[in-house]
């Protein structure tokens, strides 16, 4: 007994050992919260000991800073609370959305507001506020109750210990990366957190961003990439000046990116009462089609559209990074809209979800789009049981875009109906598609819900092609799923054996030879444009001319760095693209008159939606939407200022997207 007490006494004063034990406990709590299951956390520890060790050492490296303080217990407790806060926030977020908590969630105050209002009810926010208050109280108690060392800190010994711990942590993580134990590319944040653990995944989204500078990056090196005369006589690319090839034809080009749209029957262990995608399956047989390799699985819509619009691979960026949330919020980038402008196209983006989501209302300007029609500019929107807009609304908006200009149009449409999370209990009564065989009840209901959304999306595709069939201009419609749904699919239970493949089809209302080919998302647009002899754009030329070259990907990465982060050598030292004056919505929102009835003011006008709000000097006033032609003011204003009132489109997080003149 005495010997045991003696060992316990020694352990009590071995601060490094205590830090290691604390790190193990903290890591377990974080993983349990991240997996929403204590048992799954234990399973992860057992099945992935090396990954667990890396995460524990990462936590311990942060906790080791407590060695620099005389109040070591208090310092260690505070550092522990930082890690626990990450775990708790991540756990709360995962009960409300698919994407785990990451550093980009903290990038701006407005983003933080978006997260709170988007994913938490008033009750949840009250609980979070109470938790924050409890946290502050705990800090005060810890400071008062924890002891202060009677001896001075031996800084040499403490710094040496910290360096050793950091070295072990860094070495284990580096080794894990090189051995392939830890992932260095995150095509899906949910899966990355699941497979690599929360601490490492959270850290990597912080330290690794952007595109790495290529080895030997020089002007000469960049110009050596092009050997076929694609650059001008001065050795640089000038948009317009060097786009001298006349296209063979310039049809309207419509891209339709379908949210989480794949063939549900690729899951081997799930069977259905009938085919969920009969029309799309028919299109795959009759028109040009193939597999599309995408950079995401389960989530990551914005990165798929980024690749298709720019021709740049999302894999070049940091793990879990969304260029829409980083570089493209402040920099323009060569893109399909900028390229097609050289040959007379007007470019439109359409999305039946929030306009500010992924900063699209800013990013689309930096990608050269002329208009952007989002949910806030749509009327008569029907919602799914999980409150996502159904895709049928997109048909009329695509037609509006086609009718809005005289010349050819490029339209990039992003759907949302198939979005998760998918319920693990029955929600749809009398479903058209029933799951007749599944491993368990939860899988049955989640796949059944998903299959019925996909079935409705298939009907929408039929409605869209029917509407475009008789349009009096040539139209090519490129359709594909952006990624696999978040249904815990694995390579083993898929008939395709690949988590990163969806299927695309190229439909047209004119004769177009069927040519099947498997491509990547960053190649899909160049592949389509090549069919019509459209060579405008440097990256478009590169994909079309060098897709079979030995250094195809490495040179594409070098070009991407030069264009977004480098010295723009390929453009002669300066970026040739300016942000566009992005028009929000195709249909003009207008005020015809302001009338007073009784003691209330009403605004009569055109094309109002449920997101239309009366505003005055940029301040949103209390508004009642009465219909697409009338709004009611529900508060008092100075009669002398009534004529100054305008109508603003306001998204649900209170951001103003546009205001009438």
């Amino acid at each position: 007994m005495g010997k045991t007490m003696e060992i316990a006494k020694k352990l009590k004063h071995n601060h490094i050992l205590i830090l290691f034990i604390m790190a193990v406990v903290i890591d377990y709590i974080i993983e349990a919260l991240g997996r929403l299951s204590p048992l799954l956390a234990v399973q992860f520890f057992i099945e992935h000991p090396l990954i667990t060790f890396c995460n524990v050492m990462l936590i311990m490296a942060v906790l080791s800073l407590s060695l620099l303080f005389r109040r070591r217990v208090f310092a260690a407790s505070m550092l522990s609370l930082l890690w626990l806060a990450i775990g708790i926030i991540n756990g709360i977020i995962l009960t409300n959305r698919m994407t785990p908590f990451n550093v980009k969630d903290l990038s701006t105050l407005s983003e933080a507001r978006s997260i709170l209002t988007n994913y938490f009810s008033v009750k949840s926010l009250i609980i979070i506020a109470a938790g924050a208050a409890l946290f502050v109280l705990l800090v005060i108690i810890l400071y008062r109750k924890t002891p202060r060392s009677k001896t001075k800190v031996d800084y040499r010994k403490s710094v040496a210990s910290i360096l050793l711990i950091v070295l072990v942590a860094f070495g284990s993580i580096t080794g894990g990366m090189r051995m392939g134990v830890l992932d260095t590319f995150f095509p899906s944040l949910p899966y990355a957190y699941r497979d690599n653990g929360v601490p490492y995944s959270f850290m990597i989204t912080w330290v690794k961003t952007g595109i790495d500078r290529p080895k030997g990056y020089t002007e000469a090196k960049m110009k050596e990439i092009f050997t076929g005369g694609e650059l001008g006589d001065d050795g640089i690319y000038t948009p317009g000046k060097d786009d001298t090839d006349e296209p063979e034809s310039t049809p309207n080009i419509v891209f339709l990116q379908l949210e989480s749209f794949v063939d549900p029957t690729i899951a081997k262990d799930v069977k259905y009462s009938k085919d969920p995608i009969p029309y799309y399956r028919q299109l795959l047989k009759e028109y040009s089609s193939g597999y599309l390799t995408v950079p995401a699985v389960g989530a990551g819509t914005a990165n798929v559209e980024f690749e298709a619009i720019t021709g740049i691979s999302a894999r070049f960026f940091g793990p879990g990074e969304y260029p829409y949330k980083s570089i493209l919020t402040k920099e323009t980038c060569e893109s399909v809209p900028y390229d097609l402008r050289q040959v007379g196209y007007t470019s439109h983006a359409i999305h039946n979800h929030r306009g500010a989501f992924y900063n699209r209302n800013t990013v689309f300007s930096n990608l050269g789009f002329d208009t952007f029609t989002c949910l806030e500019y749509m009327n008569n929107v029907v919602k799914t049981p999980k409150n996502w807009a159904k895709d049928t609304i997109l048909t009329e908006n695509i037609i509006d875009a086609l009718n809005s200009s005289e010349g050819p149009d490029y339209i990039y449409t992003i759907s949302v109906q198939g979005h998760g999370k998918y319920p693990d209990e029955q929600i749809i009564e009398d479903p058209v598609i029933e799951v007749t065989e599944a491993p368990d009840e939860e899988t049955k209901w989640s796949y059944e819900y998903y299959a019925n959304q996909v079935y409705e999306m298939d009907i929408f595709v039929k409605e869209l092609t029917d509407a475009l069939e008789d349009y009096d201009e040539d139209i090519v419609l490129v359709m594909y799923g952006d990624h696999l749904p978040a249904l815990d699919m694995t390579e083993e239970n898929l008939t395709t054996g690949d988590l990163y493949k969806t299927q695309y089809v190229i439909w047209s209302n004119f004769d177009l030879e069927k040519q099947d080919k498997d491509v990547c998302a960053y190649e899909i647009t160049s592949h389509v444009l090549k069919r019509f002899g459209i060579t405008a754009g440097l990256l478009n030329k590169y994909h079309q001319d060098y897709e079979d070259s030995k250094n195809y990907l490495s040179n594409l990465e070098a070009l991407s760095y030069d264009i977004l982060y480098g010295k723009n050598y390929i453009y002669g030292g300066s970026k040739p693209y300016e942000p566009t004056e992005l028009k929000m919505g195709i249909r003009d929102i207008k005020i015809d008159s302001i009338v007073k009835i009784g003691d209330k003011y009403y605004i009569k006008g055109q094309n109002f939606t449920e997101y239309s709000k009366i505003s005055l000097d940029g301040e949103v006033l209390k508004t009642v939407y009465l219909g697409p032609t009338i709004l009611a003011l529900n508060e008092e204003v100075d009669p002398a200022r009534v004529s100054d009132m305008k109508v603003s489109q306001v998204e649900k997080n209170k951001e103003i997207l546009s205001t009438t003149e």
Side-chain angles (χ1 to χ4, degrees), residues 390-410:
K390 291 193 175 185
D391 290 340
T392 185
I393 191 67
L394 296 172
T395 299
E396 64 180 82
N397 286 279
I398 290 172
I399 297 296
D400 283 347
L402 289 168
N403 291 336
S404 68
S405 69
E406 293 296 325
D409 294 290
Y410 165 71

Side-chain angles (χ1 to χ4, degrees), residues 231-465:
L231 303 180
D233 295 335
D234 51 4
I236 62 175
Y237 172 75
T238 305
K241 177 183 175 183
D242 298 317
D243 293 324
T244 54
D245 296 336
E246 283 294 326
E248 296 171 11
S249 61
T250 54
N252 295 290
I253 301 172
V254 181
F255 272 65
L256 175 58
Q257 180 173 296
L258 295 158
E259 172 64 45
S260 300
F261 185 88
V262 298
D263 179 359
T265 65
I266 63 173
K268 297 177 183 177
D269 50 0
V270 181
K271 306 298 179 185
Y272 304 91
S273 57
K274 59 188 291 188
D275 186 358
I277 57 165
Y279 184 65
Y280 198 80
R281 198 179 306 283
Q282 176 187 336
L283 295 180
L284 291 170
K285 293 177 181 178
E286 297 177 358
Y287 294 87
S288 299
S289 61
Y291 282 105
L292 182 73
T293 299
V294 295
V297 55
T301 296
N303 277 352
V304 179
E305 69 190 73
F306 166 78
E307 289 200 351
I309 292 169
T310 66
I312 296 173
S313 173
R315 288 178 178 266
F316 298 155
F317 293 82
E321 182 175 359
Y322 289 94
Y324 278 22
K325 289 188 173 184
S326 54
I327 187 68
L328 287 183
T329 62
K330 52 191 177 184
E331 295 286 344
T332 59
C333 178
E334 181 175 332
S335 64
V336 179
Y338 283 124
D339 294 342
L340 290 183
R341 181 173 300 157
Q342 313 305 324
V343 288
Y345 279 79
T346 302
S347 296
H348 314 273
I350 300 173
H351 186 29
N352 52 339
H353 192 48
R354 291 172 42 225
F357 198 52
Y358 282 108
N359 303 305
R360 286 185 176 96
N361 59 319
T362 298
V363 167
F364 283 157
S365 173
N366 288 333
L367 288 176
F369 282 95
D370 297 295
T371 73
F372 176 30
T373 303
C374 50
L375 181 66
E376 290 82 2
Y377 297 82
M378 298 178 181
N379 266 319
N380 304 314
V381 178
V382 180
K383 299 291 185 73
T384 70
K386 298 299 288 184
N387 206 36
W388 300 102
K390 291 193 175 185
D391 290 340
T392 185
I393 191 67
L394 296 172
T395 299
E396 64 180 82
N397 286 279
I398 290 172
I399 297 296
D400 283 347
L402 289 168
N403 291 336
S404 68
S405 69
E406 293 296 325
D409 294 290
Y410 165 71
I411 304 171
Y412 199 95
T413 311
I414 308 130
S415 99
V416 79
Q417 179 168 352
H419 206 293
K421 284 185 169 183
Y422 309 108
D424 55 10
E425 58 185 10
Q426 186 175 18
I427 284 185
I428 303 175
E429 294 184 10
D430 300 320
V432 177
I433 308 293
E434 294 182 359
V435 168
T436 57
E437 183 179 321
D440 52 61
E441 281 291 296
E442 290 184 356
T443 301
K444 171 184 168 66
W445 300 127
S446 58
Y447 271 81
E448 187 165 285
Y449 176 87
Y450 170 71
N452 280 275
Q453 300 312 312
V454 167
Y455 177 74
E456 291 189 7
M457 294 167 75
D458 188 66
I459 293 174
F460 151 65
V461 169
K462 176 70 164 59
E463 292 172 349
L464 177 60
T465 53

